Amino acid sequence: MFRKIIFFSLSLILLTSSLNAQSITTLLRNQQLTVYDIGIFRLQEDIKSAIPEVQKHFPDKQIEINDVYTDVVSSLWRNTIDLIVSVPMSETLTKTNYFSDMYRCKNIFFSVRDHLLRNQNESNYNFSRASSYVVSTFSTPTSWPSWKYEHKMIKELVSMIQLEVTLRPSNELAFKEGVSPINCKGSLADDFDTIVVTKNFN
């Protein structure tokens, strides 16, 4: 009788565990993962992989990988996707030399952009490379999107994705020298002259 009770108890435990495992498996399988979600995840991985390209701009003083902040911020109500690269600066960032900081910011911008588009070999035309990249990023192997043939839709997606590079002073540099961050932002299809640069001189 005692052995039967033990066997029944073990069977009940195994059955309960099986039901719990089946429940969580069913739950996970029923979760919807959109192509938009997949695209955002790919962008996050891609922008993170560009950190070594940022480090190449500081040969005399290496920037640690953990010090460079990257993120992808999407806003459905604004219909935007921002690729964020924030670089800490403990020196060289100045209060008055706008052009030097602007060129460094833009140069980092294009290093990151070229890294993202490095596998797009359709042509040297920026929009062609950018459009190829975003279409492949927001696609799945089992369902190639029909909108890849619609120029208007692709142009909208290219414009929606903005790369933003910020050179931010350390707290010490900001307080000691009164240095403000400098920011450059544009789409992956923009050229050097169309990148928007902002800096607060106050």
Side-chain angles (χ1 to χ4, degrees):
M1 182 67 180
F2 182 69
R3 290 182 179 180
K4 289 183 179 180
I5 293 175
I6 293 178
F7 177 78
F8 176 76
S9 299
L10 289 173
S11 299
L12 185 60
I13 291 172
L14 291 174
L15 178 61
T16 303
S17 299
S18 177
L19 288 174
N20 287 339
Q22 186 177 7
S23 297
I24 189 61
T25 302
T26 303
L27 177 65
L28 292 176
R29 286 179 175 175
N30 289 335
Q31 296 299 308
Q32 292 185 351
L33 183 64
T34 67
V35 176
Y36 186 86
D37 297 328
I38 294 172
I40 295 298
F41 175 76
R42 287 172 174 165
L43 289 173
Q44 289 173 335
E45 294 300 303
D46 287 350
I47 199 68
K48 187 184 299 182
S49 72
I51 291 178
E53 299 303 315
V54 176
Q55 291 178 301
K56 291 178 182 178
H57 289 267
F58 303 91
D60 296 332
K61 185 174 183 180
Q62 287 294 322
I63 302 256
E64 296 295 331
I65 288 181
N66 293 335
D67 292 337
V68 179
Y69 174 79
T70 63
D71 199 3
V72 176
V73 181
S74 64
S75 173
L76 293 177
W77 67 273
R78 289 191 311 167
N79 199 31
T80 58
I81 300 174
D82 291 331
L83 312 181
I84 306 297
V85 178
S86 182
V87 185
M89 305 285 290
S90 58
E91 56 185 38
T92 70
L93 196 62
T94 61
K95 184 177 181 179
T96 57
N97 195 348
Y98 169 78
F99 288 103
S100 175
D101 296 338
M102 177 192 72
Y103 278 106
R104 170 169 281 186
C105 189
K106 283 190 172 186
N107 287 336
I108 293 175
F109 177 100
F110 285 108
S111 290
V112 173
R113 194 277 302 274
D114 290 343
H115 174 79
L116 296 177
L117 305 185
R118 67 194 183 280
N119 294 325
Q120 313 308 316
N121 297 319
E122 290 191 358
S123 74
N124 292 325
Y125 184 42
N126 289 338
F127 181 80
S128 177
R129 296 170 65 214
S131 60
S132 177
Y133 173 70
V134 298
V135 169
S136 62
T137 299
F138 287 90
S139 304
T140 60
T142 56
S143 178
W144 194 249
S146 60
W147 52 263
K148 76 166 188 169
Y149 301 105
E150 299 183 23
H151 182 77
K152 182 180 178 181
M153 300 286 285
I154 295 175
K155 187 176 180 181
E156 180 181 343
L157 182 57
V158 171
S159 299
M160 185 173 73
I161 300 174
Q162 296 282 304
L163 173 59
E164 180 177 333
V165 174
T166 300
L167 305 183
R168 68 180 195 273
S170 64
N171 291 336
E172 182 180 358
L173 183 62
F175 286 117
K176 182 179 179 181
E177 303 293 340
V179 180
S180 300
I182 187 167
N183 176 281
C184 47
K185 186 173 183 179
S187 81
L188 299 178
D190 282 342
D191 57 33
F192 195 87
D193 293 330
T194 56
I195 300 300
V196 177
V197 180
T198 56
K199 184 171 183 178
N200 185 356
F201 291 95
N202 294 329

